[in-house]
Amino acid sequence: MENLKDIVSNFEIADKIADVKPMGEGLINDTYKVFVDGCDKPKYVLQRINNAVFQDVDMLMDNINKVTDHLRKKGKKTLKFYKSTSNNYYYLDGEKYWRIMDFVPDSITYQTIIPHYSYLAGKSFGEFEYLLSDLNEPIGEIIPDFHNIEFRLKQLRDAVAEDRVGRVKEVQQYLDEIFKREEKMTLGERLFREGKLPKRICHCDTKVNNMLFDKDGNVLCIIDLDTVMPSFVFSDYGDFLRTAANTGLEDDPNLDNIDFNMEIYEAFTKGYLESTKDFLLPVEKENLPYAALLFPYMQTVRFLADYINGDTYYKIRYPEHNLVRTKAQWRLFERAEFKLKDLKL
Ligand code: GN1
Ligand code: MG
């Protein structure tokens, strides 16, 4: 990985770089761990920013710096980025954008967690929103309409109308099921238009593996701050459960592995309600079960649209990958819909 070492040399860090190795499972950016001389654990994390997705890299790093400065001032552990020799928090190698941050030592990531950790994660996410609630500087909407389900459904409709790689026929059954629930699943946007539902600064990518835990299950640090932006609290609550409460994998080819784990759901909800009790409005609280459905629903819509478009957005490992993801997310949605149908908070 010789040229990755060269990339690192453009940042204001003094260490001698020993090695750079691939890391993580992100579907958007490429991530590497950076080893330095005299230490067998990674010291930094190098990322290539996908600037097809994050088109305004200045806004991206500006948002992240505002958020991390604010969290740091309040004594929270958060990400720390380094400047490059061009005095930006990224380095442009002529074509690609790169950034580098500290590797958080003694941290553990999970793909599946036990209920107690889910409770601690709920507390921690509520606290994250609370701590950012008095951030007075504007945070830009880095991907416009990112978690707007009406917009995502429109993208799906456009993909279907174009049918550019002829995949619509094989997925018709999923399209029918999705559009049958359109009215019910677009509730959040209607409440927003009626002035009943606020937007707050949210993380917007609260997958379980975007949390670093310590050995006791406390959330040590929340990572992947690219999508921090104003959104409904549903985003953070729902996207965490989409990954944590799934008993299978996000792209599980065996649908029998997939269920919605109520213990994880209940534990997370308990923690989240504890740390948000001072600011969460009744309309937000009452609709948390809706949020738990919204995210598997939205992720199905997004994976399916990408499949129909010929796989232009998410990284795939094999040709049918987005279809497999679509089916797995839809199964999760159906299980959550069944289990939460009579639930009130
Ligand atoms: C993407 O790359 P990653 O894992 O951080 C996506 C999320 C999706 C997720 C699905 C900017 O996140 O919205 O929920 O994949 N991020 C973007 O796993 O689209
Ligand atoms: Mg992300």
Side-chain angles (χ1 to χ4, degrees):
M1 296 241 171
E2 253 345 278
N3 68 335
L4 289 176
K5 281 204 220 173
D6 290 346
I7 301 283
V8 178
S9 70
N10 290 289
F11 286 89
E12 292 180 352
I13 52 179
D15 306 270
K16 176 138 181 19
I17 306 306
D19 206 358
V20 181
K21 291 182 178 159
M23 139 179 212
E25 321 210 335
L27 271 45
I28 306 290
N29 297 323
D30 296 330
T31 308
Y32 305 86
K33 44 194 169 186
V34 178
F35 295 83
V36 304
D37 274 1
C39 180
D40 57 354
K41 291 187 183 149
K43 179 144 187 217
Y44 302 102
V45 174
L46 173 72
Q47 269 187 321
R48 187 183 71 78
I49 302 170
N50 180 333
N51 64 307
V53 171
F54 299 106
Q55 294 182 3
D56 187 342
V57 179
D58 286 292
M59 184 207 269
L60 177 74
M61 294 315 294
D62 196 45
N63 278 352
I64 292 179
N65 283 321
K66 285 175 184 164
V67 167
T68 53
D69 285 349
H70 194 75
L71 292 172
R72 226 183 328 267
K73 268 190 228 142
K74 296 193 169 193
K76 280 307 293 182
K77 192 167 192 55
T78 185
L79 298 177
K80 180 178 175 334
F81 290 84
Y82 290 84
K83 280 193 174 171
S84 72
T85 44
S86 62
N87 203 33
N88 293 309
Y89 282 94
Y90 58 80
Y91 168 69
L92 175 60
D93 70 2
E95 179 195 357
K96 296 176 185 154
Y97 288 85
W98 300 87
R99 68 179 168 202
I100 196 160
M101 68 197 105
D102 279 336
F103 181 90
V104 180
D106 302 318
S107 56
I108 308 166
T109 52
Y110 294 102
Q111 304 297 337
T112 48
I113 55 171
I114 59 170
H116 182 58
Y117 292 8
S118 181
Y119 164 74
L120 295 173
K123 268 179 86 146
S124 182
F125 264 112
E127 186 197 38
F128 182 86
E129 291 172 353
Y130 179 69
L131 292 174
L132 292 176
S133 64
D134 63 350
L135 173 60
N136 284 323
E137 290 175 278
I139 297 294
E141 199 177 340
I142 188 72
I143 302 178
D145 292 313
F146 187 51
H147 280 170
N148 178 339
I149 186 59
E150 291 175 349
F151 172 73
R152 295 299 180 185
L153 287 164
K154 178 180 181 307
Q155 285 185 317
L156 180 59
R157 280 203 168 87
D158 291 347
V160 170
E162 203 182 335
D163 194 12
R164 64 172 95 131
V165 285
R167 287 175 167 175
V168 167
K169 210 160 156 257
E170 64 174 312
V171 299
Q172 193 57 52
Q173 158 207 355
Y174 287 94
L175 292 166
D176 294 343
E177 293 295 322
I178 287 168
F179 287 114
K180 212 158 71 183
R181 291 165 178 84
E182 179 165 12
E183 169 84 11
K184 159 173 148 181
M185 297 314 298
T186 51
L187 172 72
E189 295 299 330
R190 284 196 299 281
L191 290 171
F192 177 67
R193 273 196 297 278
E194 290 162 12
K196 294 178 184 154
L197 181 67
K199 288 194 180 175
R200 307 181 188 276
I201 297 174
C202 292
H203 181 282
C204 295
D205 192 11
T206 55
K207 290 161 76 156
V208 190
N209 58 13
N210 279 336
M211 253 161 275
L212 304 181
F213 290 87
D214 69 12
K215 62 179 182 0
D216 303 315
N218 297 300
V219 178
L220 194 61
C221 180
I222 291 171
I223 61 169
D224 193 355
L225 303 172
D226 291 330
T227 52
V228 173
M229 68 181 124
S231 192
F232 309 138
V233 293
F234 301 161
S235 291
D236 292 350
Y237 177 86
D239 222 18
F240 179 86
L241 289 169
R242 182 180 72 78
T243 49
N246 185 353
T247 57
L249 301 172
E250 182 179 72
D251 57 353
D252 215 311
N254 182 357
L255 297 182
D256 293 338
N257 290 339
I258 297 171
D259 199 357
F260 188 78
N261 182 329
M262 287 304 284
E263 266 188 285
I264 296 290
Y265 166 85
E266 279 155 15
F268 183 74
T269 305
K270 183 166 181 285
Y272 184 75
L273 289 178
E274 275 175 28
S275 58
T276 56
K277 63 178 181 320
D278 292 337
F279 68 90
L280 209 66
L281 299 174
V283 65
E284 293 173 304
K285 187 178 164 191
E286 280 156 21
N287 286 301
L288 292 180
Y290 157 74
L293 292 185
L294 178 61
F295 280 81
Y297 182 81
M298 184 157 1
Q299 199 60 58
T300 308
V301 170
R302 293 176 64 194
F303 283 147
L304 182 54
D306 199 34
Y307 182 67
I308 294 173
N309 281 332
D311 312 308
T312 60
Y313 188 87
Y314 293 107
K315 288 185 221 166
I316 52 166
R317 286 199 307 272
Y318 52 92
E320 305 284 291
H321 204 167
N322 274 318
L323 181 61
V324 170
R325 287 169 172 152
T326 300
K327 292 179 178 174
Q329 290 294 296
W330 188 254
R331 171 61 64 89
L332 179 67
F333 171 80
E334 286 180 326
R335 297 303 300 149
E337 187 182 48
F338 174 73
K339 289 195 168 174
L340 299 178
K341 64 180 178 322
D342 302 316
L343 210 115
K344 294 265 176 303
L345 281 180

